[in-house]
Each structure stands twice: as C-alpha cells, then as structure tokens.
Amino acid sequence: MGLETTPAGVPQENGTSSLQREKPAGPPQGPGQPAPRPPYSALYPAKRRLILGIVTLAGFFGPLAAGIYLPALPVLQRSFHTSATVINATVSVFMGVLAVAPLFWASQADYAGRKPLYIISLLIYIAANILLAALPANLAALFILRVVQGFGAASVLSLGAGTVADIIEPKKRASAMSMVLLGPQLGPVLGPLLGGALTGGASWRWTFWFLVITCSATLILLLFGLPETLRSIVGNGAIYADSRLLTWPIWRQKSVVDPAKYPRPPPPTLLGLLKLMGHPPILIVYLNNSILFAAYYAINVTFSRLLADNYGFSVTEVGVAYLAPGLALVVGSMISGRISDYHLRTYNKLHPDNPAHPERRLHLQIPGIFVSLSGVLMFGWLSHFHIHVSSVIISSSIAAFGMTWVFITTTAYLTESTKNTPATLVALAGLFRNPAAAVASAVVEPLIGKMGIGWCFTGLAFVELACIASSLWLLLKGKEMRRRLGETQVAAGRSPGAGPEGRPGGPLGGPLRGPPPGIPPGGEKAGITATV
C-alpha cells in the first residue's frame, strides 16, 4: 500500500482524498465558487481519542513520581543514613526541576515537533528510574538521578497542551484539556497510596520499578499510536486521515505543508520567553493561577498534620482522606471544560459574524475564584473551631474544585491566545505556579503559628479576592491589548503571517494588514485561512 502525491503536494493513500471523510456535504462546486473550508483536524474521531488517551496517560508520570516517593521518605532516610532535612531536599530538587525544565521541552516542541521529544523525555525518565531502583544507596547519586528523573518527567504536560491545540478546534478545547490534565490532578492523590503500598509491602526500590514498567508500556503505545501533530509540520493532519489506528513508528516527520499557511515559529530564545511572560494578559492569568494554586497547596501541606493532630487520623486514614479533594479536582476539571466549551459554542451560534475571542472564556474564572476562596475560608475557620472532620474534608474539596475550575479555563485560554507556541505558554505557567506552591508550603506553618489557622487562611482568601479584579480588567482590556501588540509587531516590520507566537499579525493574535501570504485578496471571506 503506497502513498501517492497529488499535484498540490498532499500525500494520498490509494488515490483516496485524505479529506474525503470530513468533506462537507453540498452541491458540486462551480467555476469561480470558493473552495470549502478544510476541517480543523482531518483525523478521524477514533484516532483523536487514541492520541488524547496516550497524552493523558503519559501526563501521569511526573506527578506520580512526585507523590509515590513521599511515603518512602522515612525509609530512605534510614537507608541513606541521613537527616530528614537532607532527604526532604530531594523532593524540593525534583519539584524545582519540574518547574523549570518544561520550558526547554515546550519551546523545542513548538519549533521542531512533538513526537521526538515525547520519546526522548520518556526514555530519560525510564533510564533514571532504572538507575534509582538498581544502584546501591548513595546520597549524591540519589540527588543527581532525581534531577534527571524530573527533567524527563517535565515534558509531558506542556507537550500535551500543544498536542491538544494541534488536533482539537478551540470550541472543544477546554473539554479536551480537562482530560489531559487528569494526570497532574490525580497523580498527587494516587501517588502516595501506591507509594505506601509498594514501600510497605515490598521495598522503596519497587516504587521506581513500578514507574519503569508502567512508563515503558506507555512508551510502546506512544511509539505506535501517536503521530506527529505539530501544525507547522503536518497541518491539519490530512496525511493521517486514512491511516490505521496503530502505525509503524516514524522518528521524525518531514514537513508536508505550505509554510505560508502554517508558519513555523523562529527558534526559541530567552528574550522571546521573557516577552511572552511580560505580556499583560498572559502575566495576569499566570498570577491568578499561581495564587489559587498556592492557597490550595497550603491546604494540602497542612491537611495531613491537621487530621492526625486534631482528629486522630492514622497514616492510612489520612491517605484515604486525600481522595476527597482529588475527586473534586477531577469533577471540577470535567465540568469546567464542558461548560467553557458550551459557552463558546453558544456564543458563536448567536454571533456568527463576530466569533468569540479567547477572553470570552475568562469570565468563567470569576465563579471559580469565588468557590475557591470560599473553600479556603471555610477550611481555616472550621479547622480553627475543630468542627466535625467531614466539614474540613468537604471544605478542602470545595477549594480544590474552584482551583481546577480556573485552571482549566486558563489553560484553554493560553492555547487559544497563541497558535504557534501553546506548549511554551503552558510550560511558562508552571514556572509561576510551582514556585508559588513552594513558597506557600514554606510559610504556611509559621503563619499559622503566629496568626492561627483561621486568620492565616482568611488572608489567603483575601489575596484570591484580588484575582477577581484582575480577571474583570482582563475581560475589559485583554482583546484590545492583543490588538495593539499585533499592530506593534506589524509596524516593526515582522511578517504578519509568520508571527513567532500566534495568529497572523502578531504574537498573540493581533489583526492582519491585508491577506496572509498565499491567500488571494478576499480569500478570508471565502473561508480560506492562513493559520488555524
């Protein structure tokens, strides 16, 4: 079964059009009639579902490696003959790498392709886990290999966000992101349960062997089931429209698209990353996410001690109690994604001549912030007055629900604000979020000691309240700021059709001055697009 090439240069299989499955129904085209708009993704539904499933599964391994390690800390302290402070530092090192390393993977993936980096990063992760499980106990080796393990694990969330942006059109993207983010949400919940069972039932080394076995199986599935999806290489994936669900692996896919229609961003630079971080709409959503995540993490780090000291919970009972906020994360993620997509679809139906801009999603942040700060406030005062333990668990779940609600809408916004660098923007969000969580975990206990737990979490709730004001400002001014930035880029002489970070016209979706390269005048009205 060979591939044929049409005069337009698009590979076909057995002479069948790769867009035949999705070609819109309608009368035959006559001379001078515009060509129908191609689908955002030419992949058939089962192929898209498989890709999302693989990306979701791969997304578990970073958070799982963080959580599965925690129950083994006392055992590791004895095995490596060191102090609790030193062994806890291996956790801090791992989390620090998870905060910074995604920038490397994501920026390369937005430029060079997704699949090779999935493979390389998971191979690094597997190799680090093999060495952690097999080498004799050596403290220096433990620190080094935790760094390597974190570096390999750091890629998947940002790569997954980029993959979703490649294959899922904006009006359905929040629902898809809620699936891909199940790993970061469930990993910290399932990790301690698995780690406790493996460490207690076998050995701390089996926590790493478990990661080797499960990640190797995922890597095999990824090799055969995940094609290259970067739109500047494969466009809307028309070359895969008639392919099997599982195919023989290709290390690196050659570009099969017109660069004018699917421009590739320039090679990543530090200056480019700093410009992205400094753009006000992006900076605001980063800060809002970080504040809510820090407040939720402050609950997480006090949760186990609170249940043990105030309510007499055992270690096993504390682990089971963590399932409640974990379930809230999943439910909040799924509901938020579907409501966000429903709102966008409804708006576009009511305003067909004025489709929704990315900021239309952000109004859903406001109820999410209110829910989150309500849970934070309740957690503080219910714990302060030693109200029944069920109320404390429920309040922590409310805070988790609100936090993930905002997180989903923000992530969908980031993937829509820029068309060429979605993975990079999601990775940058982690650079803000993880240090905020680290600061919260370091200061929450001293603050509780000085203020009391009720007033401590009241302060965090008031900080979250400021996020509502910034969200309202962004709803009013965000679109205009993106437009002005696009005009600045055009005035500076940068090609509107090849903006490094997004839609034609500029880094974050600024306006076009004239049709993009390769599109005839009036082509936009005819349904022809340069960059999707």
Short mmCIF file of all heavy atoms in Angstrom, two decimals, residues 39-104:
data_model
loop_
_atom_site.label_atom_id
_atom_site.label_comp_id
_atom_site.label_asym_id
_atom_site.label_seq_id
_atom_site.Cartn_x
_atom_site.Cartn_y
_atom_site.Cartn_z
N PRO A 39 -11.39 20.97 7.37
CA PRO A 39 -11.64 20.81 8.81
C PRO A 39 -10.41 21.21 9.61
O PRO A 39 -9.28 21.15 9.13
CB PRO A 39 -11.92 19.31 8.95
CG PRO A 39 -11.21 18.68 7.80
CD PRO A 39 -11.31 19.67 6.67
N TYR A 40 -10.63 21.62 10.86
CA TYR A 40 -9.50 21.98 11.72
C TYR A 40 -8.55 20.80 11.87
O TYR A 40 -7.34 20.94 11.80
CB TYR A 40 -10.01 22.42 13.10
CG TYR A 40 -8.90 22.91 14.00
CD1 TYR A 40 -8.50 24.24 13.98
CD2 TYR A 40 -8.24 22.03 14.86
CE1 TYR A 40 -7.47 24.68 14.79
CE2 TYR A 40 -7.21 22.47 15.67
CZ TYR A 40 -6.83 23.80 15.63
OH TYR A 40 -5.79 24.23 16.43
N SER A 41 -9.13 19.60 12.07
CA SER A 41 -8.33 18.37 12.13
C SER A 41 -8.96 17.34 11.22
O SER A 41 -10.16 17.07 11.31
CB SER A 41 -8.25 17.84 13.56
OG SER A 41 -7.59 16.59 13.59
N ALA A 42 -8.15 16.76 10.32
CA ALA A 42 -8.65 15.73 9.40
C ALA A 42 -8.56 14.33 10.01
O ALA A 42 -8.93 13.36 9.37
CB ALA A 42 -7.85 15.78 8.10
N LEU A 43 -8.07 14.21 11.24
CA LEU A 43 -8.01 12.91 11.89
C LEU A 43 -9.42 12.41 12.19
O LEU A 43 -10.28 13.18 12.62
CB LEU A 43 -7.22 13.02 13.20
CG LEU A 43 -5.76 13.45 13.10
CD1 LEU A 43 -5.19 13.69 14.49
CD2 LEU A 43 -4.94 12.41 12.37
N TYR A 44 -9.65 11.12 12.00
CA TYR A 44 -10.96 10.58 12.32
C TYR A 44 -11.10 10.46 13.84
O TYR A 44 -10.11 10.42 14.57
CB TYR A 44 -11.19 9.24 11.62
CG TYR A 44 -10.11 8.20 11.77
CD1 TYR A 44 -10.17 7.24 12.77
CD2 TYR A 44 -9.02 8.17 10.88
CE1 TYR A 44 -9.19 6.27 12.90
CE2 TYR A 44 -8.03 7.21 11.00
CZ TYR A 44 -8.11 6.27 12.02
OH TYR A 44 -7.13 5.31 12.14
N PRO A 45 -12.34 10.45 14.35
CA PRO A 45 -12.55 10.56 15.81
C PRO A 45 -11.80 9.53 16.64
O PRO A 45 -11.26 9.86 17.70
CB PRO A 45 -14.07 10.39 15.94
CG PRO A 45 -14.62 10.90 14.65
CD PRO A 45 -13.61 10.48 13.60
N ALA A 46 -11.75 8.27 16.19
CA ALA A 46 -11.06 7.25 16.98
C ALA A 46 -9.58 7.57 17.11
O ALA A 46 -8.96 7.33 18.16
CB ALA A 46 -11.25 5.87 16.34
N LYS A 47 -8.98 8.12 16.06
CA LYS A 47 -7.56 8.48 16.10
C LYS A 47 -7.34 9.62 17.09
O LYS A 47 -6.38 9.61 17.86
CB LYS A 47 -7.12 8.91 14.70
CG LYS A 47 -5.61 9.13 14.56
CD LYS A 47 -4.87 7.82 14.40
CE LYS A 47 -3.44 8.03 13.97
NZ LYS A 47 -2.70 6.77 13.84
N ARG A 48 -8.24 10.62 17.08
CA ARG A 48 -8.11 11.72 18.02
C ARG A 48 -8.25 11.23 19.46
O ARG A 48 -7.52 11.65 20.35
CB ARG A 48 -9.14 12.80 17.72
CG ARG A 48 -8.82 13.63 16.49
CD ARG A 48 -9.60 14.94 16.49
NE ARG A 48 -11.04 14.73 16.38
CZ ARG A 48 -11.69 14.69 15.23
NH1 ARG A 48 -11.03 14.85 14.08
NH2 ARG A 48 -12.99 14.51 15.21
N ARG A 49 -9.21 10.33 19.68
CA ARG A 49 -9.40 9.81 21.04
C ARG A 49 -8.18 9.02 21.51
O ARG A 49 -7.78 9.11 22.68
CB ARG A 49 -10.65 8.92 21.10
CG ARG A 49 -11.96 9.71 21.04
CD ARG A 49 -13.14 8.84 21.44
NE ARG A 49 -13.37 7.78 20.47
CZ ARG A 49 -14.20 7.88 19.44
NH1 ARG A 49 -14.87 9.01 19.23
NH2 ARG A 49 -14.36 6.88 18.60
N LEU A 50 -7.58 8.23 20.61
CA LEU A 50 -6.38 7.49 20.98
C LEU A 50 -5.25 8.44 21.35
O LEU A 50 -4.55 8.24 22.35
CB LEU A 50 -5.95 6.58 19.82
CG LEU A 50 -4.65 5.80 20.06
CD1 LEU A 50 -4.80 4.82 21.21
CD2 LEU A 50 -4.21 5.07 18.79
N ILE A 51 -5.06 9.49 20.56
CA ILE A 51 -4.00 10.46 20.84
C ILE A 51 -4.22 11.12 22.20
O ILE A 51 -3.29 11.22 23.02
CB ILE A 51 -3.93 11.51 19.72
CG1 ILE A 51 -3.44 10.87 18.41
CG2 ILE A 51 -3.02 12.68 20.11
CD1 ILE A 51 -3.54 11.78 17.21
N LEU A 52 -5.45 11.54 22.47
CA LEU A 52 -5.74 12.16 23.76
C LEU A 52 -5.53 11.17 24.91
O LEU A 52 -5.03 11.55 25.98
CB LEU A 52 -7.18 12.68 23.78
CG LEU A 52 -7.46 13.93 22.93
CD1 LEU A 52 -8.95 14.28 23.00
CD2 LEU A 52 -6.63 15.11 23.40
N GLY A 53 -5.89 9.91 24.69
CA GLY A 53 -5.68 8.90 25.73
C GLY A 53 -4.21 8.68 26.03
O GLY A 53 -3.81 8.58 27.21
N ILE A 54 -3.38 8.62 24.98
CA ILE A 54 -1.94 8.42 25.18
C ILE A 54 -1.33 9.61 25.90
O ILE A 54 -0.54 9.45 26.85
CB ILE A 54 -1.24 8.21 23.82
CG1 ILE A 54 -1.68 6.87 23.20
CG2 ILE A 54 0.27 8.24 23.97
CD1 ILE A 54 -1.21 6.67 21.77
N VAL A 55 -1.71 10.82 25.49
CA VAL A 55 -1.17 12.02 26.11
C VAL A 55 -1.61 12.11 27.57
O VAL A 55 -0.82 12.50 28.45
CB VAL A 55 -1.61 13.27 25.32
CG1 VAL A 55 -1.25 14.54 26.05
CG2 VAL A 55 -0.96 13.27 23.94
N THR A 56 -2.86 11.76 27.85
CA THR A 56 -3.35 11.77 29.24
C THR A 56 -2.59 10.77 30.09
O THR A 56 -2.18 11.07 31.22
CB THR A 56 -4.86 11.44 29.26
OG1 THR A 56 -5.56 12.41 28.48
CG2 THR A 56 -5.39 11.46 30.68
N LEU A 57 -2.39 9.57 29.57
CA LEU A 57 -1.66 8.54 30.30
C LEU A 57 -0.22 8.97 30.57
O LEU A 57 0.29 8.82 31.69
CB LEU A 57 -1.68 7.24 29.49
CG LEU A 57 -1.16 5.97 30.18
CD1 LEU A 57 -1.97 5.66 31.42
CD2 LEU A 57 -1.20 4.80 29.21
N ALA A 58 0.44 9.53 29.56
CA ALA A 58 1.82 9.99 29.76
C ALA A 58 1.89 11.11 30.77
O ALA A 58 2.90 11.25 31.48
CB ALA A 58 2.39 10.44 28.41
N GLY A 59 0.82 11.92 30.88
CA GLY A 59 0.82 13.03 31.82
C GLY A 59 0.81 12.62 33.28
O GLY A 59 1.04 13.46 34.16
N PHE A 60 0.53 11.36 33.57
CA PHE A 60 0.52 10.90 34.96
C PHE A 60 1.91 10.80 35.56
O PHE A 60 2.07 10.92 36.78
CB PHE A 60 -0.15 9.52 35.05
CG PHE A 60 -1.64 9.56 35.23
CD1 PHE A 60 -2.47 9.65 34.14
CD2 PHE A 60 -2.21 9.50 36.48
CE1 PHE A 60 -3.85 9.69 34.28
CE2 PHE A 60 -3.58 9.54 36.65
CZ PHE A 60 -4.41 9.63 35.54
N PHE A 61 2.94 10.57 34.74
CA PHE A 61 4.20 10.09 35.31
C PHE A 61 4.99 11.13 36.08
O PHE A 61 5.68 10.80 37.05
CB PHE A 61 5.05 9.45 34.20
CG PHE A 61 4.47 8.16 33.74
CD1 PHE A 61 3.79 8.06 32.53
CD2 PHE A 61 4.55 7.03 34.53
CE1 PHE A 61 3.23 6.88 32.12
CE2 PHE A 61 3.99 5.82 34.13
CZ PHE A 61 3.32 5.75 32.93
N GLY A 62 4.91 12.40 35.71
CA GLY A 62 5.59 13.42 36.50
C GLY A 62 4.97 13.57 37.88
O GLY A 62 5.67 13.40 38.91
N PRO A 63 3.67 13.88 37.98
CA PRO A 63 3.04 13.98 39.30
C PRO A 63 3.09 12.67 40.08
O PRO A 63 3.19 12.68 41.31
CB PRO A 63 1.59 14.37 38.96
CG PRO A 63 1.67 15.00 37.61
CD PRO A 63 2.77 14.27 36.89
N LEU A 64 3.00 11.54 39.37
CA LEU A 64 3.05 10.24 40.06
C LEU A 64 4.42 10.03 40.69
O LEU A 64 4.52 9.53 41.83
CB LEU A 64 2.74 9.12 39.06
CG LEU A 64 2.41 7.75 39.65
CD1 LEU A 64 1.16 7.82 40.52
CD2 LEU A 64 2.20 6.74 38.53
N ALA A 65 5.48 10.41 40.00
CA ALA A 65 6.83 10.27 40.56
C ALA A 65 7.01 11.14 41.79
O ALA A 65 7.75 10.77 42.71
CB ALA A 65 7.86 10.63 39.50
N ALA A 66 6.34 12.29 41.81
CA ALA A 66 6.43 13.16 42.99
C ALA A 66 5.68 12.56 44.17
O ALA A 66 6.19 12.54 45.30
CB ALA A 66 5.88 14.55 42.66
N GLY A 67 4.47 12.04 43.93
CA GLY A 67 3.65 11.54 45.03
C GLY A 67 4.04 10.17 45.52
O GLY A 67 3.98 9.89 46.73
N ILE A 68 4.47 9.27 44.63
CA ILE A 68 4.78 7.89 45.02
C ILE A 68 6.02 7.82 45.91
O ILE A 68 6.23 6.86 46.65
CB ILE A 68 4.97 7.03 43.74
CG1 ILE A 68 4.71 5.56 44.03
CG2 ILE A 68 6.35 7.22 43.13
CD1 ILE A 68 4.65 4.71 42.77
N TYR A 69 6.82 8.88 45.84
CA TYR A 69 8.09 8.96 46.58
C TYR A 69 7.88 9.35 48.05
O TYR A 69 8.68 9.01 48.92
CB TYR A 69 8.95 10.01 45.87
CG TYR A 69 10.36 10.19 46.36
CD1 TYR A 69 11.36 9.29 46.03
CD2 TYR A 69 10.71 11.31 47.11
CE1 TYR A 69 12.67 9.48 46.44
CE2 TYR A 69 12.02 11.52 47.53
CZ TYR A 69 13.00 10.60 47.19
OH TYR A 69 14.29 10.80 47.60
N LEU A 70 6.78 10.07 48.33
CA LEU A 70 6.62 10.67 49.66
C LEU A 70 6.50 9.65 50.80
O LEU A 70 7.15 9.84 51.84
CB LEU A 70 5.40 11.59 49.65
CG LEU A 70 5.48 12.80 48.70
CD1 LEU A 70 4.20 13.62 48.77
CD2 LEU A 70 6.69 13.66 49.04
N PRO A 71 5.71 8.57 50.67
CA PRO A 71 5.64 7.63 51.80
C PRO A 71 6.97 6.93 52.10
O PRO A 71 7.15 6.41 53.21
CB PRO A 71 4.60 6.60 51.32
CG PRO A 71 3.80 7.31 50.29
CD PRO A 71 4.77 8.21 49.61
N ALA A 72 7.88 6.94 51.13
CA ALA A 72 9.16 6.25 51.34
C ALA A 72 10.21 7.13 52.03
O ALA A 72 11.31 6.64 52.31
CB ALA A 72 9.72 5.78 49.99
N LEU A 73 9.90 8.40 52.30
CA LEU A 73 10.91 9.31 52.85
C LEU A 73 11.52 8.81 54.17
O LEU A 73 12.75 8.83 54.32
CB LEU A 73 10.32 10.71 53.03
CG LEU A 73 10.02 11.48 51.73
CD1 LEU A 73 9.37 12.81 52.04
CD2 LEU A 73 11.29 11.69 50.93
N PRO A 74 10.72 8.36 55.15
CA PRO A 74 11.35 7.85 56.39
C PRO A 74 12.26 6.63 56.13
O PRO A 74 13.33 6.50 56.75
CB PRO A 74 10.15 7.48 57.27
CG PRO A 74 9.02 8.29 56.73
CD PRO A 74 9.26 8.38 55.25
N VAL A 75 11.82 5.74 55.23
CA VAL A 75 12.63 4.56 54.90
C VAL A 75 13.92 4.98 54.20
O VAL A 75 15.01 4.45 54.48
CB VAL A 75 11.81 3.59 54.02
CG1 VAL A 75 12.64 2.36 53.68
CG2 VAL A 75 10.53 3.20 54.73
N LEU A 76 13.82 5.93 53.26
CA LEU A 76 15.01 6.43 52.57
C LEU A 76 15.97 7.11 53.53
O LEU A 76 17.20 6.99 53.39
CB LEU A 76 14.59 7.41 51.47
CG LEU A 76 13.88 6.80 50.25
CD1 LEU A 76 13.23 7.90 49.42
CD2 LEU A 76 14.88 6.02 49.40
N GLN A 77 15.43 7.81 54.50
CA GLN A 77 16.29 8.47 55.48
C GLN A 77 17.16 7.45 56.22
O GLN A 77 18.36 7.66 56.44
CB GLN A 77 15.43 9.24 56.48
CG GLN A 77 16.22 10.00 57.54
CD GLN A 77 15.31 10.68 58.55
OE1 GLN A 77 14.12 10.89 58.29
NE2 GLN A 77 15.86 11.02 59.70
N ARG A 78 16.57 6.31 56.58
CA ARG A 78 17.34 5.26 57.26
C ARG A 78 18.29 4.56 56.29
O ARG A 78 19.45 4.28 56.64
CB ARG A 78 16.38 4.25 57.88
CG ARG A 78 15.55 4.80 59.03
CD ARG A 78 14.83 3.69 59.78
NE ARG A 78 13.85 2.99 58.93
CZ ARG A 78 12.58 3.36 58.82
NH1 ARG A 78 12.13 4.42 59.48
NH2 ARG A 78 11.74 2.67 58.06
N SER A 79 17.83 4.29 55.08
CA SER A 79 18.67 3.56 54.12
C SER A 79 19.89 4.37 53.70
O SER A 79 20.96 3.81 53.45
CB SER A 79 17.84 3.20 52.88
OG SER A 79 16.78 2.35 53.21
N PHE A 80 19.73 5.71 53.58
CA PHE A 80 20.84 6.56 53.14
C PHE A 80 21.58 7.20 54.31
O PHE A 80 22.49 8.00 54.09
CB PHE A 80 20.30 7.64 52.21
CG PHE A 80 19.95 7.13 50.83
CD1 PHE A 80 18.74 6.50 50.59
CD2 PHE A 80 20.84 7.27 49.76
CE1 PHE A 80 18.42 6.02 49.32
CE2 PHE A 80 20.53 6.80 48.50
CZ PHE A 80 19.31 6.16 48.28
N HIS A 81 21.17 6.86 55.55
CA HIS A 81 21.87 7.32 56.77
C HIS A 81 22.05 8.84 56.76
O HIS A 81 23.16 9.36 56.88
CB HIS A 81 23.24 6.63 56.89
CG HIS A 81 23.17 5.14 56.82
ND1 HIS A 81 22.62 4.37 57.81
CD2 HIS A 81 23.57 4.27 55.84
CE1 HIS A 81 22.68 3.08 57.48
NE2 HIS A 81 23.26 2.99 56.27
N THR A 82 20.92 9.53 56.63
CA THR A 82 20.98 10.98 56.58
C THR A 82 19.83 11.55 57.40
O THR A 82 19.04 10.81 58.00
CB THR A 82 20.92 11.48 55.13
OG1 THR A 82 21.16 12.87 55.08
CG2 THR A 82 19.58 11.17 54.48
N SER A 83 19.73 12.88 57.42
CA SER A 83 18.70 13.55 58.21
C SER A 83 17.42 13.73 57.39
O SER A 83 17.42 13.63 56.16
CB SER A 83 19.20 14.91 58.68
OG SER A 83 19.39 15.77 57.57
N ALA A 84 16.34 14.07 58.09
CA ALA A 84 15.07 14.33 57.41
C ALA A 84 15.18 15.55 56.51
O ALA A 84 14.60 15.58 55.42
CB ALA A 84 13.95 14.52 58.44
N THR A 85 15.92 16.54 56.94
CA THR A 85 16.08 17.77 56.15
C THR A 85 16.74 17.46 54.81
O THR A 85 16.31 17.95 53.75
CB THR A 85 16.91 18.81 56.90
OG1 THR A 85 16.26 19.11 58.15
CG2 THR A 85 17.06 20.09 56.09
N VAL A 86 17.78 16.64 54.84
CA VAL A 86 18.50 16.31 53.61
C VAL A 86 17.63 15.47 52.68
O VAL A 86 17.57 15.72 51.47
CB VAL A 86 19.83 15.59 53.94
CG1 VAL A 86 20.49 15.07 52.66
CG2 VAL A 86 20.77 16.52 54.67
N ILE A 87 16.95 14.49 53.22
CA ILE A 87 16.14 13.63 52.36
C ILE A 87 14.94 14.40 51.80
O ILE A 87 14.50 14.17 50.66
CB ILE A 87 15.69 12.35 53.11
CG1 ILE A 87 15.51 11.19 52.11
CG2 ILE A 87 14.44 12.56 53.90
CD1 ILE A 87 16.77 10.70 51.48
N ASN A 88 14.41 15.36 52.59
CA ASN A 88 13.33 16.19 52.07
C ASN A 88 13.82 17.09 50.94
O ASN A 88 13.03 17.49 50.06
CB ASN A 88 12.74 17.06 53.18
CG ASN A 88 11.89 16.25 54.14
OD1 ASN A 88 11.50 15.12 53.84
ND2 ASN A 88 11.59 16.83 55.29
N ALA A 89 15.10 17.41 50.94
CA ALA A 89 15.65 18.24 49.87
C ALA A 89 15.58 17.55 48.52
O ALA A 89 15.53 18.22 47.48
CB ALA A 89 17.09 18.62 50.18
N THR A 90 15.55 16.22 48.50
CA THR A 90 15.41 15.51 47.22
C THR A 90 14.02 15.77 46.61
O THR A 90 13.86 15.72 45.39
CB THR A 90 15.62 14.00 47.38
OG1 THR A 90 14.63 13.45 48.27
CG2 THR A 90 17.00 13.70 47.96
N VAL A 91 13.03 16.04 47.47
CA VAL A 91 11.70 16.41 46.98
C VAL A 91 11.75 17.81 46.39
O VAL A 91 11.22 18.07 45.30
CB VAL A 91 10.66 16.34 48.11
CG1 VAL A 91 9.29 16.79 47.61
CG2 VAL A 91 10.59 14.94 48.69
N SER A 92 12.40 18.75 47.10
CA SER A 92 12.48 20.13 46.61
C SER A 92 13.22 20.20 45.28
O SER A 92 12.83 20.96 44.39
CB SER A 92 13.19 21.00 47.66
OG SER A 92 12.50 20.97 48.88
N VAL A 93 14.29 19.43 45.15
CA VAL A 93 15.06 19.42 43.90
C VAL A 93 14.20 18.93 42.75
O VAL A 93 14.19 19.51 41.65
CB VAL A 93 16.32 18.54 44.07
CG1 VAL A 93 16.94 18.21 42.72
CG2 VAL A 93 17.34 19.23 44.96
N PHE A 94 13.46 17.86 42.98
CA PHE A 94 12.59 17.30 41.94
C PHE A 94 11.54 18.32 41.51
O PHE A 94 11.30 18.54 40.32
CB PHE A 94 11.93 16.03 42.47
CG PHE A 94 11.03 15.34 41.48
CD1 PHE A 94 11.55 14.45 40.55
CD2 PHE A 94 9.66 15.58 41.47
CE1 PHE A 94 10.73 13.80 39.63
CE2 PHE A 94 8.83 14.94 40.57
CZ PHE A 94 9.37 14.06 39.65
N MET A 95 10.90 18.98 42.50
CA MET A 95 9.86 19.96 42.17
C MET A 95 10.45 21.18 41.47
O MET A 95 9.81 21.77 40.59
CB MET A 95 9.14 20.40 43.45
CG MET A 95 8.36 19.28 44.13
SD MET A 95 7.15 18.48 43.04
CE MET A 95 5.99 19.82 42.79
N GLY A 96 11.67 21.56 41.84
CA GLY A 96 12.31 22.68 41.16
C GLY A 96 12.57 22.38 39.69
O GLY A 96 12.37 23.24 38.82
N VAL A 97 13.02 21.15 39.41
CA VAL A 97 13.25 20.76 38.02
C VAL A 97 11.93 20.73 37.25
O VAL A 97 11.86 21.16 36.09
CB VAL A 97 13.96 19.39 37.95
CG1 VAL A 97 14.08 18.91 36.51
CG2 VAL A 97 15.34 19.48 38.58
N LEU A 98 10.87 20.24 37.89
CA LEU A 98 9.56 20.22 37.24
C LEU A 98 9.07 21.62 36.89
O LEU A 98 8.30 21.80 35.94
CB LEU A 98 8.52 19.54 38.13
CG LEU A 98 8.49 18.01 38.19
CD1 LEU A 98 7.33 17.54 39.05
CD2 LEU A 98 8.39 17.40 36.80
N ALA A 99 9.51 22.62 37.64
CA ALA A 99 9.08 23.99 37.37
C ALA A 99 9.81 24.59 36.19
O ALA A 99 9.23 25.35 35.40
CB ALA A 99 9.31 24.86 38.61
N VAL A 100 11.10 24.27 36.03
CA VAL A 100 11.94 24.96 35.04
C VAL A 100 12.06 24.16 33.74
O VAL A 100 12.00 24.73 32.64
CB VAL A 100 13.33 25.23 35.63
CG1 VAL A 100 14.24 25.88 34.59
CG2 VAL A 100 13.22 26.13 36.86
N ALA A 101 12.24 22.85 33.84
CA ALA A 101 12.55 22.04 32.66
C ALA A 101 11.47 22.07 31.57
O ALA A 101 11.82 21.95 30.39
CB ALA A 101 12.82 20.59 33.09
N PRO A 102 10.17 22.21 31.90
CA PRO A 102 9.19 22.24 30.80
C PRO A 102 9.45 23.33 29.77
O PRO A 102 9.06 23.17 28.61
CB PRO A 102 7.86 22.49 31.54
CG PRO A 102 8.06 21.90 32.88
CD PRO A 102 9.50 22.17 33.21
N LEU A 103 10.10 24.41 30.16
CA LEU A 103 10.40 25.48 29.20
C LEU A 103 11.29 24.97 28.07
O LEU A 103 11.10 25.32 26.91
CB LEU A 103 11.07 26.66 29.90
CG LEU A 103 10.20 27.44 30.88
CD1 LEU A 103 11.02 28.52 31.57
CD2 LEU A 103 9.02 28.06 30.15
N PHE A 104 12.26 24.14 28.41
CA PHE A 104 13.15 23.59 27.39
C PHE A 104 12.36 22.70 26.44
O PHE A 104 12.42 22.86 25.21
CB PHE A 104 14.27 22.80 28.05
CG PHE A 104 15.04 21.94 27.08
CD1 PHE A 104 16.02 22.49 26.28
CD2 PHE A 104 14.76 20.58 26.97
CE1 PHE A 104 16.72 21.69 25.37
CE2 PHE A 104 15.46 19.78 26.07
CZ PHE A 104 16.44 20.34 25.27
#
